[in-house]
């Protein structure tokens, strides 16, 4: 498989000097009667006022709490990612908005493209601590005294809202699987009655039905366990169990798992040419969760009957595992991947790619990236170390 490069960063290369920021701030504070005091009095959520280079000129106490800052001076002149300690804000010398992954940031994209109309977006930000930070952001561009500013209100999504969303996804999936199992059992019973009347019929069809039923039952159990593990991961309570993983047998088990998947056709999930049989140490259960999500997404996105290709490659720092499918993602979808509230399948289905990133980066000590272009089609790559030291 050819190598590829990450997406380019947003074009936020210009920023004001400290003295210029202070000059803008003084001008803004002189407008207290028009803007600042009402903002402080009535906005109970994090509020910032930015210049057109997205640098903070004013932050209310609620935003300082959100940013874990002691004083307003600590955040003045910074961009939001720098203020809230986004993991990507220090990955490039230019700061927030200049790293490759910043092109996918819904917060920056919303702020950079906002106009005088209200803009609402949501995003998941990973702090340097690798903890996920879930935000809803409302922004608008305003003109006051011939000067242009951007006002943004940031609200952290609370646990109760997230619990509701998780339960919606869980019951949606579990009911689908249970319905499928019920249908198979009814078919088995009908087949059994026919066998009683046709004793000379072959047993192979009955055996196949029993095997599919067993696999479907196993999927229901695994779906429940997946939701339990995801909830634990969100609370930083998920324990790792490290053991050897062989890439060949690992992917073969996944192909078997998808035997009864409604969108999977026989032979559709294949190994890449040059697939390397490797052994490394990680948590096989968590890694299985990651690749079930990736393969599901690939099957749902791929044209009917096209191959989904699994690959395993050795690198100097560990293993590189990938899932490739035919077809391209739109730029809008690409920018929004790994964000908790985004999904191409609707508002209740937005945790798949988010959970892939959470589990891989927070627990498996790895990283996830993707490319979607004419040369490679759509490829998700998971980079993992040879072992995890607990």
């Amino acid at each position: 498989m050819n190598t590829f490069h990450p997406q380019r960063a947003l074009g936020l290369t210009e920023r004001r000097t400290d003295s210029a920021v202070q000059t803008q701030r003084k001008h803004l504070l002189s407008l207290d009667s028009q803007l600042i005091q009402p903002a402080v009095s009535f906005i109970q959520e994090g509020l910032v006022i930015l210049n057109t280079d997205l640098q903070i000129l004013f932050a209310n106490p609620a935003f300082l709490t959100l940013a874990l800052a002691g004083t307003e001076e600590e955040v003045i002149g910074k961009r939001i990612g720098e203020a809230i300690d986004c993991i990507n804000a220090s990955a490039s010398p230019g700061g927030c908005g200049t790293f490759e992954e910043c092109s996918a940031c819904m917060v920056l994209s919303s702020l950079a493209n906002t106009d005088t109309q209200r803009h609402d977006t949501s995003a998941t930000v990973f702090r340097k601590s690798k903890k996920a930070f879930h935000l809803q952001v409302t922004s608008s561009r305003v003109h006051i005294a011939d000067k242009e500013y951007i006002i943004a209100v940031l609200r952290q999504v609370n646990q109760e809202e997230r619990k509701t969303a998780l339960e919606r996804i869980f019951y949606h999936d579990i009911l689908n699987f249970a319905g499928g199992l019920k249908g198979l059992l009814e078919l088995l019973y009908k087949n059994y009655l026919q066998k009683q009347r046709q004793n000379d019929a072959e047993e192979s069809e009955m055996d196949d039905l029993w095997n599919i039923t067993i696999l479907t039952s196993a999927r229901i159990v695994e779906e429940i366990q997946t939701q339990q593990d995801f909830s634990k991961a969100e609370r930083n309570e998920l324990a790792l169990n490290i053991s050897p993983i062989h890439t060949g047998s690992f992917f073969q088990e996944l192909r078997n798992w998808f035997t009864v998947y409604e969108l999977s056709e026989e032979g559709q999930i294949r190994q890449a040419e040059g697939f390397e049989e490797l052994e490394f140490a990680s948590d096989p259960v968590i890694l299985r969760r990651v690749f079930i999500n990736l393969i599901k997404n690939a099957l749902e996105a791929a044209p009917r009957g096209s191959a989904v290709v699994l690959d395993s490659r050795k690198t100097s720092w560990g293993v590189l595992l990938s899932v490739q499918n035919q077809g391209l993602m739109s730029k809008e979808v690409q920018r929004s991947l790994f964000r908790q509230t985004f999904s191409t399948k609707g508002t209740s289905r937005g945790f798949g790619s988010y959970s892939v990133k959470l589990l891989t980066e927070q627990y498996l000590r790895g990283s996830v990236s993707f490319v979607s272009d004419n040369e490679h089609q759509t490829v998700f790559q998971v980079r993992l170390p040879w072992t995890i030291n607990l």
Side-chain angles (χ1 to χ4, degrees):
M1 185 179 298
N2 295 329
T3 58
F4 62 89
H5 301 284
Q7 301 174 23
R8 293 184 177 180
L10 293 172
L12 296 176
T13 56
E14 300 293 330
R15 59 194 305 156
R16 307 294 173 90
T17 63
D18 290 344
S19 61
V21 167
Q22 289 299 329
T23 299
Q24 288 184 308
R25 175 173 164 77
K26 288 178 181 178
H27 176 76
L28 181 63
L29 292 176
S30 71
L31 306 173
D32 182 86
S33 61
Q34 300 178 49
L35 178 67
I36 303 300
Q37 191 59 44
V40 172
S41 301
F42 297 107
I43 303 297
Q44 301 301 313
E45 292 160 340
L47 179 142
V48 289
I49 301 176
L50 314 172
N51 64 21
T52 53
D53 293 309
L54 305 189
Q55 292 169 276
I56 297 172
L57 301 178
F58 170 83
N60 73 346
F63 179 81
L64 299 182
T65 301
L66 202 65
L68 304 178
T71 65
E72 191 178 4
E73 285 69 28
E74 292 179 36
V75 300
I76 298 302
K78 293 182 178 180
R79 292 190 176 128
I80 287 179
E82 296 155 359
I84 64 175
D85 206 28
C86 172
I87 193 172
N88 293 321
S90 60
S92 174
C96 175
T98 61
F99 187 52
E100 290 91 342
E101 289 196 17
C102 295
S103 62
C105 179
M106 297 299 290
V107 176
L108 285 177
S109 178
S110 176
L111 295 174
N113 296 300
T114 193
D115 51 27
T116 55
Q117 300 298 314
R118 168 176 167 160
H119 281 244
D120 295 291
T121 190
S122 57
T124 300
V125 176
F126 283 85
R127 282 178 154 160
K128 290 177 185 176
S129 62
K130 292 294 183 73
K131 290 184 178 179
F133 191 51
H134 315 290
L135 293 172
Q136 288 186 341
V137 182
T138 300
S139 61
S140 181
R141 192 175 295 259
V142 298
H143 294 81
I144 301 175
D146 298 324
K147 301 292 183 181
E148 190 172 290
Y149 304 97
I150 297 168
I151 299 178
V153 176
L154 297 88
R155 183 174 72 88
Q156 188 170 8
V157 179
N158 63 44
Q159 286 298 111
E160 193 60 35
E161 292 172 305
R162 296 175 48 69
K163 180 181 177 183
T164 300
L166 283 169
E167 288 178 347
R168 187 186 302 120
I169 296 168
F170 172 77
Y171 288 118
H172 176 276
D173 287 343
I174 208 68
L175 286 172
N176 280 347
F177 287 134
L181 181 60
K182 178 176 179 291
L184 282 169
L185 290 172
E186 289 173 347
L187 185 59
L188 280 169
Y189 182 68
K190 181 179 179 180
N191 188 282
Y192 172 77
L193 294 178
Q194 291 176 343
K195 290 289 184 181
Q196 293 294 94
R197 296 191 295 268
Q198 301 174 0
N199 292 326
D200 58 341
E202 294 185 3
E203 297 293 329
S204 60
E205 183 180 354
M206 191 69 174
D207 291 341
D208 288 343
L209 286 172
W210 275 118
N211 288 333
I212 292 172
T213 301
I214 292 169
L215 284 170
T216 303
S217 301
R219 284 184 64 192
I220 292 175
V221 173
E222 178 142 9
E223 189 69 25
I224 297 171
Q225 292 171 335
T226 296
Q227 297 298 335
Q228 288 177 328
D229 285 350
F230 185 74
S231 295
K232 290 180 180 178
E234 288 276 277
R235 299 191 300 268
N236 295 311
E237 297 174 358
L238 187 59
L240 291 177
N241 293 293
I242 308 302
S243 63
I245 297 176
H246 301 268
T247 56
S249 58
F250 174 75
F251 279 135
Q252 181 58 54
E253 289 175 5
L254 286 170
R255 288 200 297 274
N256 292 341
W257 193 91
F258 279 95
T259 300
V260 294
Y261 188 62
E262 56 270 19
L263 294 179
S264 178
E265 300 177 7
E266 185 176 357
Q268 184 179 6
I269 303 174
R270 308 171 190 171
Q271 285 189 179
E273 293 184 11
F275 182 101
E276 295 179 350
E277 298 272 358
L278 303 172
E279 180 181 320
F280 63 103
S282 192
D283 188 309
V285 174
I286 295 178
L287 189 61
R288 179 182 172 90
R289 306 271 191 262
V290 168
F291 274 90
I292 284 175
N293 271 314
L294 289 177
I295 295 171
K296 274 185 182 179
N297 289 344
L299 289 169
E300 290 172 356
R304 189 76 175 172
S306 64
V308 170
V309 181
L310 310 178
D311 202 2
S312 167
R313 302 288 170 166
K314 179 180 180 180
T315 70
S316 59
W317 36 260
V319 295
L320 178 65
L321 307 178
S322 64
V323 178
Q324 180 190 48
N325 67 268
Q326 297 297 305
L328 304 180
M329 295 184 291
S330 69
K331 293 297 183 183
E332 180 183 1
V333 170
Q334 292 183 45
R335 286 194 299 269
S336 303
L337 280 174
F338 305 132
R339 308 295 164 184
Q340 180 196 0
T341 54
F342 173 81
S343 175
T344 58
K345 298 181 285 292
T347 55
S348 67
R349 302 283 293 175
F351 286 85
S353 62
Y354 164 73
S355 68
V356 165
K357 188 175 183 70
L358 175 70
L359 295 175
T360 301
E361 298 189 356
Q362 189 162 323
Y363 288 92
L364 300 182
R365 314 291 198 270
S367 64
V368 184
S369 61
F370 71 91
V371 67
S372 188
D373 58 29
N374 289 326
E375 181 181 358
H376 307 93
Q377 295 300 292
T378 296
V379 186
F380 280 81
Q381 292 188 328
V382 175
R383 295 168 174 80
L384 297 167
W386 287 115
T387 189
I388 297 177
N389 298 315
L390 299 178

